């Protein structure tokens, strides 16, 4: 279950009120992330599933859409039904002019 079969949303159209789950590694997150994103590296997902809400829409993002697509498939198989992959990941997010910040609120970058 991935690719065109996964529910997805363009980076430019991610709603402001969505639970944005960033599954990139710590160094990628530290360089820059969406201001309202929640960080949970993909490798930690199985042990931290309880942190992800299952009663609201969740958008999953990584650098380019590959890892987040895997996570969306995993969540769908584990009972989440309101989950979508952010197309193009943080690369498309930044290209769409959406904010990228560091933990201290300074401008960030996508690595």
């Amino acid at each position: 279950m991935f690719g065109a079969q996964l529910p997805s949303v363009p980076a430019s159209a991610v709603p402001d009120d969505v639970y944005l789950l960033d599954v990139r590694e710590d160094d990628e997150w530290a360089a820059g992330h969406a201001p309202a994103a929640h960080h949970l590296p993909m490798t930690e997902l199985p042990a931290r599933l309880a942190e992800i809400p299952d009663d609201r829409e969740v958008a999953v993002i990584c650098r380019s859409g590959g890892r987040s697509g895997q996570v969306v498939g995993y969540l769908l198989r584990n009972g989440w039904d309101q989950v979508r992959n952010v197309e193009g990941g943080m690369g498309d997010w930044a290209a769409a002019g959406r904010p990228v910040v560091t933990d201290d609120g300074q401008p960030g970058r996508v690595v």
Side-chain angles (χ1 to χ4, degrees):
M1 224 202 246
F2 62 96
Q5 298 174 349
L6 283 180
S8 62
V9 59
S12 60
V14 174
D16 290 337
D17 61 347
V18 75
Y19 185 93
L20 185 60
L21 179 64
D22 189 322
V23 297
R24 297 176 301 149
E25 295 301 317
D26 291 339
D27 61 323
E28 295 172 290
W29 169 267
H33 53 82
H38 303 269
H39 186 221
L40 198 171
M42 185 174 121
T43 56
E44 298 177 21
L45 184 74
R48 296 176 61 188
L49 271 180
E51 296 177 32
I52 305 167
D54 59 6
D55 60 349
R56 61 184 283 207
E57 187 177 346
V58 175
V60 185
I61 196 165
C62 65
R63 184 177 61 230
S64 62
R67 286 172 287 178
S68 54
Q70 293 177 45
V71 169
V72 167
Y74 182 84
L75 292 174
L76 288 169
R77 290 189 302 275
N78 283 277
W80 275 257
D81 56 4
Q82 299 181 77
V83 60
R84 295 191 285 174
N85 187 30
V86 178
E87 297 171 5
M90 284 300 296
D92 279 12
W93 178 276
R98 306 219 43 188
V100 178
V101 298
T102 59
D103 280 337
D104 60 7
Q106 296 301 306
R109 60 190 175 88
V110 178
V111 297

